[in-house]
Amino acid sequence: MSTGTLLAIIIPIVVVLAVVAAAAFVVSRRRRLRERFGPEYERTVEDSGSRLAAERELSEREKRHGELDIRPLTGDARERYSRDWQRVQSEFVDRPEDAVQDADLLVASLMRERGYPTENLNQRIRDLSVEHGRTIEHYRAAHEVDQLSMKHQATTEQLRGAMVHYRALFDELLSDHGQR
């Protein structure tokens, strides 16, 4: 067999193998991102308008999250936050708007103590989505109601729902669920 014939056989095989390897990488990455981010994966795809752009965004979130100093709570801190949540929850009966606002502040405080930056809501959501992709929608929903409650436009049922939503993320953060 001549060198030209060998190259004519080997080059297409190498190209096909490279295409198969690239496709396997893309499928594997997509599966991993879907599993890690849960519903947040589809939301990001929808918001970005492109699966590739969404996957790039989610990968960037993972990279940023890896640079954060996320740490578990001490036992004392966990007990203190549990007591604080009970106080906020009991406040709901007499002052539901204040309770929702206090729940938002308590979740932000817990996030800060765990090592999450809390200055910007959108960045908070992106950072949390890496380890808490399945509950981040709760946080979005609760925060929307909190904004309504600050303008005295939230119904009691919306406020009650916000407390449930805050509690979902609060419990995950408190228990270190999803901790690396």
Side-chain angles (χ1 to χ4, degrees), residues 2-122:
S2 72
T3 304
T5 305
L6 281 174
L7 288 176
I9 294 171
I10 292 173
I11 290 175
I13 291 173
V14 169
V15 169
V16 168
L17 289 175
V19 168
V20 168
F25 171 77
V26 169
V27 168
S28 173
R29 182 176 87 160
R30 183 167 293 155
R31 183 179 309 120
R32 183 185 58 75
L33 289 171
R34 271 190 172 139
E35 288 172 5
R36 178 156 205 179
F37 285 92
E40 184 68 9
Y41 176 89
E42 292 302 329
R43 180 188 180 92
T44 307
V45 169
E46 187 176 309
D47 288 350
S48 71
S50 157
R51 192 166 300 280
L52 186 60
E55 290 173 357
R56 191 175 313 116
E57 159 75 16
L58 295 173
S59 293
E60 288 171 10
R61 289 184 196 184
E62 286 180 318
K63 182 179 179 200
R64 175 182 159 80
H65 187 273
E67 296 168 356
L68 298 175
D69 181 24
I70 306 301
R71 53 198 172 270
L73 295 172
T74 65
D76 289 343
R78 188 175 283 109
E79 288 176 27
R80 178 174 36 89
Y81 278 106
S82 290
R83 282 191 308 272
D84 289 348
W85 181 264
Q86 291 304 317
R87 179 190 49 76
V88 167
Q89 199 167 303
S90 65
E91 176 184 18
F92 185 83
V93 175
D94 296 322
R95 298 185 343 267
E97 286 181 336
D98 292 340
V100 168
Q101 291 167 15
D102 288 347
D104 184 67
L105 292 172
L106 185 59
V107 167
S109 174
L110 177 54
M111 289 168 50
R112 204 171 16 265
E113 187 153 342
R114 293 284 315 275
Y116 288 99
T118 58
E119 296 77 36
N120 175 290
L121 175 66
N122 290 329

Side-chain angles (χ1 to χ4, degrees), residues 36-40 128-129 131-142 164-173 177:
R36 178 156 205 179
F37 285 92
E40 184 68 9
L128 284 168
S129 72
E131 295 291 340
H132 306 281
R134 300 200 184 285
T135 56
I136 199 63
E137 196 58 38
H138 287 286
Y139 187 53
R140 280 189 181 98
V164 170
H165 290 309
Y166 277 127
R167 180 65 190 243
L169 180 59
F170 181 85
D171 284 345
E172 266 201 28
L173 288 168
H177 178 73

